[in-house]
Each structure stands twice: as structure tokens, then as C-alpha cells.
Amino acid sequence: MRRVAAIDCGTNSIRLLVTDLGPDGKAHDLVRDMRIVRLGEGVDRTGRLDPTAIERTVTATREYALTIGEMGVDAVRFCATSAARDAENADDFRSAIRSVLGQEPEILSGDAEARASFLGATSELGPDPALVVDIGGGSTELVRGADGEVHSAVSLDIGSVRLTERFLASDPPSITEITDLVDHLDALLAPAVAGWEPVDRFIGVAGTVTTVAAHAMQLSTYDSDRIHGARLPVDQVREACISLVRLPVVDRRHLPFMHPGRADVIGAGALILDRLLELAPLATDEVVVSERDILDGIARGAADAAGTN
């Protein structure tokens, strides 16, 4: 049994997982926490991480470090993704995190991010072939594989924060803004999935997908137990996507399952999911939703690294 701490630092949120991983691969989670820090705010426009955004992220990391210190972990792994990957001043960010954790943070490549997402998402959902879709704040990963092995992976610079900043200035978005964003998505997604064999399982992970799922299920609160493993008709998911895009931000915030830090960017994320469900060749009429994602993949990678030391 190895106790590991994993931190996933994305464009919109930073998350902590402390879990015990047994030799059989089963996980027993002790802590799972998420903060909206919006590290990637403005990166698409400026190419740099804003010092205020870095400070928000460092503050959350400092709090996570206190929790980790109390848990007696065998290994810690901090991974950053799209925002840090794109930023000219990523070294400033790395230095700030290093000063808090006492170790070097990893900035994952798009391929490494995709593989970690697949590992985390499929760890409890069986070995059958699957497409894992991870829609983040700055990028979206499409990963196909089976039996825990990745067969192909694509990382695209389309995410809920990035595309909201670039396309959706109005509240709610105008028809012209939505049309322009859909055209942009189709131009990127259609060639990404061209020539694929039909997909037997479509597994969606991360906050955009789980929030859309909660909306599709009309939950009265965010319920991880009901969301994890849910199998929802594709048509029902796509209806929920369009519904969220059309809502003003104030109405999104009033949805009982909506995290307040996600309300302003969920529309763009939902459109990414909708277009994927339209364009990807599917041999299934349902979306499988997983609460296990890149964070769980990062934790398993930390356990594997600790086992070789």
C-alpha cells in the first residue's frame, strides 16, 4: 500500500488527491479537493501567466502542502497542464511552486496529459476499448485505447477558459458568437477525428463533462456518487450542452450543482462536448461519465515512481 498526494494544476482549477493505492491497483481516497484559481486567465491573449493568477495558485498550493504534511504520504506529484505549457514565464510559476512544495513541479506535454487522463478515467471502468475525452480550461484531450494501454492521443488547444475569452464576450452569448465558436471547433475537431473507426465507449471526464451530466440529470445538488459511472443518452447530453450555452451567467450560478467558479466558462466547454458528440464516429448512443480523471492518473504515476525508488 502506497499513500500518494497528487496535485493537478489546470487552466481553471487546482485539485488535490491524497489516496492509498494497493498492490491490486485499487484506490482508497482520503482527500479530494478543488479550488478555482484561474491560473490561465489571459494567457491566450498575452502568452504569459498573470502574477495575480500565480499568487492565487501558490496560495492554494500552500494550503494543500499543509494537508499533505499531515497525511504521511510516500510521494507527492504536482503536474501543471495547458496554461503553464503555453506561458512564456512558466519558469516564474515553477519557481513559486518549488518554494512551497520543496520539489520540482512537472509541466505535462499534451501527450502526457492525455495519457494520464486515460489512465485515471479507465482505472475503474473496465478494459474495453474506449475514447476518453477530457475537456479542460485550456485544452481538450482525446485518447483512444484499451486494456489500460493508449493507442492514440490528440491534444487540442480548445478549452472552456481559452474559448470563452476568445469568442464569448456577451452574456448570454450571441448567436453570432456561438456560430463563430462552432465553426472554429468544427475546423479543429473534424480533421482530428477523421478516419477513426467507430468508438464503442465514449467516456467523458473533468468538470465540464460532470457539470453537463449533472444538468442532464437535473440533480438538486452536485452528487459525485450519482455522476460517477452514469450512462446518459447522447441526445440528452447534447440538449444539456445547448441549454447551458444559452443561459445567462447569473442563471447558471443559480443551478444547484454549479460550482460558482465554473459558471462563466461552462458554455464554451459544453459546446466542445456537443461538437465532439456530433463529429466523432460513435458506435454507441450513450456517454459514460467518470469522476476519475487526470488527477487519478497523476496519483498512479506518483505511486509507480515511488515504487522504483
Side-chain angles (χ1 to χ4, degrees), residues 44-204:
D44 187 63
R45 175 177 51 83
T46 67
R48 298 179 62 82
L49 297 171
D50 185 273
T52 303
I54 293 177
E55 183 55 36
R56 289 195 299 264
T57 307
V58 168
T59 297
T61 303
R62 189 175 292 113
E63 293 170 359
Y64 285 168
L66 292 174
T67 299
I68 291 168
E70 296 170 352
M71 301 295 292
V73 303
D74 300 306
V76 180
R77 189 180 182 204
F78 181 110
C79 293
T81 54
S82 178
R85 195 161 60 228
D86 294 345
E88 297 173 1
N89 60 336
D91 285 346
D92 295 341
F93 171 72
R94 272 195 292 257
S95 176
I97 296 300
R98 190 187 312 117
S99 68
V100 172
L101 284 182
Q103 66 181 66
E104 190 71 23
E106 299 176 50
I107 297 181
L108 299 181
S109 67
D111 183 68
E113 181 178 357
R115 291 174 183 275
S117 294
F118 184 85
L119 176 62
T122 59
S123 60
E124 294 182 355
L125 294 177
D128 295 340
L131 165 66
V132 172
V133 173
D134 183 343
I135 301 171
S139 66
T140 292
E141 280 63 50
L142 313 176
V143 199
R144 290 184 297 161
D147 295 315
E149 297 294 329
V150 173
H151 297 163
S152 65
V154 178
S155 181
L156 301 170
D157 284 336
I158 51 175
S160 60
V161 175
R162 186 190 298 272
L163 296 185
T164 297
E165 292 181 351
R166 190 183 296 185
F167 288 95
L168 305 183
S170 303
D171 180 22
S174 68
I175 295 299
T176 299
E177 290 171 345
I178 292 172
T179 300
D180 288 347
L181 177 49
V182 168
D183 289 345
H184 177 72
L185 289 171
D186 288 0
L188 292 175
L189 290 171
V193 303
W196 281 10
E197 293 295 322
V199 174
D200 293 320
R201 283 200 304 169
F202 185 109
I203 302 175

Side-chain angles (χ1 to χ4, degrees), residues 41 69 87 106 122 189 221 224 273 306:
E41 185 173 20
E106 299 176 50
T122 59
L189 290 171
T221 187
S224 296
L273 179 57

Side-chain angles (χ1 to χ4, degrees), residues 251-303:
D251 290 344
R252 294 177 191 168
R253 292 191 196 280
H254 287 152
L255 295 171
F257 50 79
M258 181 69 66
H259 190 288
R262 204 178 299 282
D264 60 329
V265 297
I266 189 64
L271 273 180
I272 297 170
L273 179 57
D274 175 73
R275 299 318 297 160
L276 270 170
L277 291 171
E278 170 69 19
L279 296 170
L282 302 181
T284 178
D285 61 359
E286 66 181 15
V287 174
V288 181
V289 184
S290 176
E291 285 271 345
R292 301 286 188 181
D293 54 28
I294 185 175
L295 183 61
D296 302 85
I298 291 169
R300 291 178 182 277

